[in-house]
Amino acid sequence: MASRNSANVLVLGTSSLVGKTLVTLAICRWLSSQGKAVTPFKPMSMSSGHGSYRTASGGEIHVHQAHQAIAANLDPHVDMNPLMFKTVGDKLEIIVWGAPSPGLSEIPVSNRCTSLRAVITKCHRRLADRFDHIIMEGCGSPVELNIKERDLSNCWVAETFDARCVLVGSAEQTGVFASIIGTLALLTERERSRVVGFIINKFHGDPGGFADGVRILEERTGIPCLGVIPFLSGITMVGQESGAAPAPEIIASSEAFAREMDRCADHIIKHLNLRLLAERVLAGSPSMSLAEPEPMSARAVQ
């Protein structure tokens, strides 16, 4: 479905809060620094109500996709996050292509899913006409089996847009082996074949101390590890949806935000195997030649 021979990459997570957002942001930042035409894309997001961002055209997207766009040196656009489920108090608001769609909640779920998939597909097609790399972020876990038939953000996205997938798991708490191996076991064989690497995020301590863990996971899954990313403390740019905070548009335009964005991207890129990422995840994309990375913080923010 992708035009312009775009390379579609889908960053999946074993669950929410494993770090998909920042991994996606870092890859966008890295590719942009290499002079590549790259955009983020999250088909469906969920917000507590204070996590939305107003684009220049007035459309509403999740603040995380706005951050990812800025990391790629782009203006945030509603095509980058066509669907957002936003809770305001005890009410659910469905944002479609930047605007509330109050009538959707009354449409039968099966019909609603079909129409929303059409919106997602149109937005992706427009991005594919403009960019060589589309770095997509999944939502939650790809193996919520009771709602998988109406998936809008994970395995359906990978299949529809012929994406190679990276699976991110968190070592912040115990259970990373069960989460990585269990997620892969619950995917179908066809879905599993799209997963070309995994990333261990939020590891406390020296990543070299997890060498045996990497070996065990690679042996059990047959999939290579693309990196072990140490826990990064003091992150302020994701997960902040407090109504008392300044408007996201103001924060994202500040010098402090630019420094924080580069700090996070540098940290993640430093601990990824970029050659393996390029070979297994980005292979087949147009003019995929890479220079040795330098810290993003050493560059002027465009």
Side-chain angles (χ1 to χ4, degrees), residues 247-271:
E249 298 82 0
I250 296 174
I251 294 173
S253 63
S254 69
E255 290 185 8
F257 172 82
R259 290 193 297 270
E260 174 73 350
M261 177 176 63
D262 284 337
R263 182 178 79 97
C264 294
D266 281 344
H267 177 76
I268 292 170
I269 292 302
K270 176 182 176 182
H271 292 95

Short mmCIF file of all heavy atoms in Angstrom, two decimals, residues 247-271:
data_model
loop_
_atom_site.label_atom_id
_atom_site.label_comp_id
_atom_site.label_asym_id
_atom_site.label_seq_id
_atom_site.Cartn_x
_atom_site.Cartn_y
_atom_site.Cartn_z
N ALA A 247 0.90 24.98 28.46
CA ALA A 247 0.35 24.36 27.26
C ALA A 247 1.45 23.59 26.52
O ALA A 247 2.59 24.06 26.43
CB ALA A 247 -0.24 25.43 26.35
N PRO A 248 1.14 22.38 26.00
CA PRO A 248 2.15 21.59 25.29
C PRO A 248 2.82 22.33 24.14
O PRO A 248 4.00 22.14 23.87
CB PRO A 248 1.34 20.39 24.78
CG PRO A 248 0.18 20.28 25.68
CD PRO A 248 -0.15 21.69 26.07
N GLU A 249 2.06 23.20 23.46
CA GLU A 249 2.63 23.95 22.34
C GLU A 249 3.73 24.89 22.81
O GLU A 249 4.72 25.11 22.12
CB GLU A 249 1.53 24.74 21.63
CG GLU A 249 0.43 23.89 21.02
CD GLU A 249 -0.64 23.48 22.03
OE1 GLU A 249 -0.53 23.86 23.23
OE2 GLU A 249 -1.58 22.77 21.64
N ILE A 250 3.58 25.44 24.02
CA ILE A 250 4.58 26.34 24.59
C ILE A 250 5.81 25.54 25.02
O ILE A 250 6.95 25.91 24.74
CB ILE A 250 4.00 27.12 25.78
CG1 ILE A 250 2.87 28.03 25.29
CG2 ILE A 250 5.08 27.92 26.49
CD1 ILE A 250 2.14 28.75 26.42
N ILE A 251 5.58 24.41 25.69
CA ILE A 251 6.69 23.58 26.15
C ILE A 251 7.53 23.12 24.98
O ILE A 251 8.76 23.17 25.00
CB ILE A 251 6.16 22.37 26.94
CG1 ILE A 251 5.48 22.84 28.23
CG2 ILE A 251 7.29 21.39 27.25
CD1 ILE A 251 4.78 21.74 28.98
N ALA A 252 6.87 22.63 23.92
CA ALA A 252 7.57 22.04 22.79
C ALA A 252 8.40 23.05 22.00
O ALA A 252 9.27 22.67 21.22
CB ALA A 252 6.58 21.34 21.87
N SER A 253 8.13 24.33 22.17
CA SER A 253 8.89 25.35 21.44
C SER A 253 10.02 25.93 22.28
O SER A 253 10.72 26.84 21.83
CB SER A 253 7.95 26.47 21.00
OG SER A 253 7.38 27.13 22.13
N SER A 254 10.24 25.42 23.47
CA SER A 254 11.23 25.99 24.37
C SER A 254 12.61 25.38 24.17
O SER A 254 12.75 24.26 23.67
CB SER A 254 10.79 25.78 25.83
OG SER A 254 10.87 24.41 26.17
N GLU A 255 13.63 26.12 24.56
CA GLU A 255 15.00 25.61 24.48
C GLU A 255 15.20 24.44 25.44
O GLU A 255 15.94 23.50 25.14
CB GLU A 255 15.99 26.73 24.80
CG GLU A 255 16.08 27.80 23.73
CD GLU A 255 17.15 28.83 24.02
OE1 GLU A 255 17.92 28.61 24.99
OE2 GLU A 255 17.23 29.84 23.31
N ALA A 256 14.54 24.49 26.58
CA ALA A 256 14.64 23.40 27.55
C ALA A 256 14.11 22.10 26.96
O ALA A 256 14.70 21.02 27.16
CB ALA A 256 13.88 23.75 28.83
N PHE A 257 13.01 22.20 26.21
CA PHE A 257 12.47 21.01 25.56
C PHE A 257 13.46 20.46 24.53
O PHE A 257 13.67 19.25 24.44
CB PHE A 257 11.14 21.32 24.87
CG PHE A 257 10.63 20.19 24.02
CD1 PHE A 257 9.94 19.13 24.58
CD2 PHE A 257 10.87 20.17 22.65
CE1 PHE A 257 9.49 18.08 23.79
CE2 PHE A 257 10.43 19.13 21.85
CZ PHE A 257 9.73 18.08 22.44
N ALA A 258 14.06 21.33 23.74
CA ALA A 258 15.03 20.90 22.72
C ALA A 258 16.19 20.16 23.37
O ALA A 258 16.65 19.13 22.87
CB ALA A 258 15.52 22.09 21.92
N ARG A 259 16.68 20.67 24.50
CA ARG A 259 17.78 20.01 25.19
C ARG A 259 17.36 18.65 25.73
O ARG A 259 18.10 17.66 25.64
CB ARG A 259 18.29 20.89 26.34
CG ARG A 259 19.03 22.14 25.89
CD ARG A 259 19.77 22.78 27.06
NE ARG A 259 18.85 23.23 28.11
CZ ARG A 259 18.30 24.45 28.14
NH1 ARG A 259 18.57 25.33 27.18
NH2 ARG A 259 17.50 24.78 29.13
N GLU A 260 16.15 18.59 26.29
CA GLU A 260 15.65 17.33 26.83
C GLU A 260 15.42 16.30 25.71
O GLU A 260 15.73 15.11 25.86
CB GLU A 260 14.34 17.57 27.60
CG GLU A 260 13.63 16.32 28.09
CD GLU A 260 14.34 15.65 29.26
OE1 GLU A 260 15.47 16.04 29.60
OE2 GLU A 260 13.75 14.72 29.84
N MET A 261 14.90 16.75 24.59
CA MET A 261 14.68 15.86 23.45
C MET A 261 15.99 15.26 22.97
O MET A 261 16.10 14.05 22.73
CB MET A 261 14.01 16.63 22.31
CG MET A 261 13.81 15.83 21.03
SD MET A 261 12.92 16.79 19.79
CE MET A 261 14.06 18.14 19.51
N ASP A 262 17.03 16.10 22.85
CA ASP A 262 18.33 15.60 22.41
C ASP A 262 18.96 14.68 23.44
O ASP A 262 19.60 13.69 23.09
CB ASP A 262 19.26 16.78 22.11
CG ASP A 262 18.94 17.46 20.79
OD1 ASP A 262 18.32 16.81 19.93
OD2 ASP A 262 19.30 18.63 20.62
N ARG A 263 18.78 14.99 24.71
CA ARG A 263 19.32 14.12 25.77
C ARG A 263 18.72 12.72 25.69
O ARG A 263 19.42 11.71 25.75
CB ARG A 263 19.04 14.74 27.15
CG ARG A 263 19.62 13.93 28.31
CD ARG A 263 19.34 14.64 29.64
NE ARG A 263 17.99 14.42 30.11
CZ ARG A 263 17.66 13.47 31.02
NH1 ARG A 263 18.58 12.66 31.51
NH2 ARG A 263 16.40 13.35 31.42
N CYS A 264 17.40 12.67 25.54
CA CYS A 264 16.73 11.37 25.45
C CYS A 264 17.13 10.62 24.18
O CYS A 264 17.42 9.42 24.22
CB CYS A 264 15.22 11.57 25.49
SG CYS A 264 14.59 12.20 27.06
N ALA A 265 17.13 11.32 23.04
CA ALA A 265 17.48 10.67 21.77
C ALA A 265 18.92 10.17 21.79
O ALA A 265 19.20 9.05 21.36
CB ALA A 265 17.26 11.64 20.62
N ASP A 266 19.84 10.99 22.29
CA ASP A 266 21.25 10.59 22.39
C ASP A 266 21.40 9.32 23.21
O ASP A 266 22.13 8.40 22.86
CB ASP A 266 22.08 11.70 23.03
CG ASP A 266 22.42 12.82 22.07
OD1 ASP A 266 22.27 12.63 20.84
OD2 ASP A 266 22.83 13.90 22.54
N HIS A 267 20.70 9.30 24.35
CA HIS A 267 20.81 8.16 25.26
C HIS A 267 20.36 6.86 24.59
O HIS A 267 21.03 5.82 24.70
CB HIS A 267 19.97 8.44 26.51
CG HIS A 267 19.93 7.32 27.49
ND1 HIS A 267 20.99 7.02 28.34
CD2 HIS A 267 18.97 6.38 27.74
CE1 HIS A 267 20.67 5.98 29.08
NE2 HIS A 267 19.45 5.57 28.74
N ILE A 268 19.24 6.92 23.90
CA ILE A 268 18.71 5.71 23.25
C ILE A 268 19.57 5.29 22.08
O ILE A 268 19.95 4.11 21.95
CB ILE A 268 17.25 5.95 22.81
CG1 ILE A 268 16.36 6.08 24.06
CG2 ILE A 268 16.74 4.81 21.92
CD1 ILE A 268 14.96 6.56 23.78
N ILE A 269 19.91 6.23 21.20
CA ILE A 269 20.70 5.90 20.02
C ILE A 269 22.07 5.34 20.40
O ILE A 269 22.58 4.41 19.76
CB ILE A 269 20.85 7.14 19.12
CG1 ILE A 269 19.50 7.51 18.51
CG2 ILE A 269 21.88 6.92 18.02
CD1 ILE A 269 18.85 6.40 17.69
N LYS A 270 22.64 5.86 21.47
CA LYS A 270 23.95 5.40 21.94
C LYS A 270 23.94 3.92 22.28
O LYS A 270 24.96 3.23 22.15
CB LYS A 270 24.36 6.23 23.17
CG LYS A 270 25.65 5.79 23.83
CD LYS A 270 25.92 6.65 25.07
CE LYS A 270 27.16 6.17 25.82
NZ LYS A 270 27.39 6.97 27.05
N HIS A 271 22.79 3.41 22.70
CA HIS A 271 22.71 2.02 23.17
C HIS A 271 22.00 1.10 22.18
O HIS A 271 21.71 -0.06 22.52
CB HIS A 271 22.01 1.98 24.53
CG HIS A 271 22.83 2.60 25.62
ND1 HIS A 271 22.66 3.91 26.01
CD2 HIS A 271 23.85 2.11 26.37
CE1 HIS A 271 23.53 4.20 26.98
NE2 HIS A 271 24.25 3.13 27.21
#
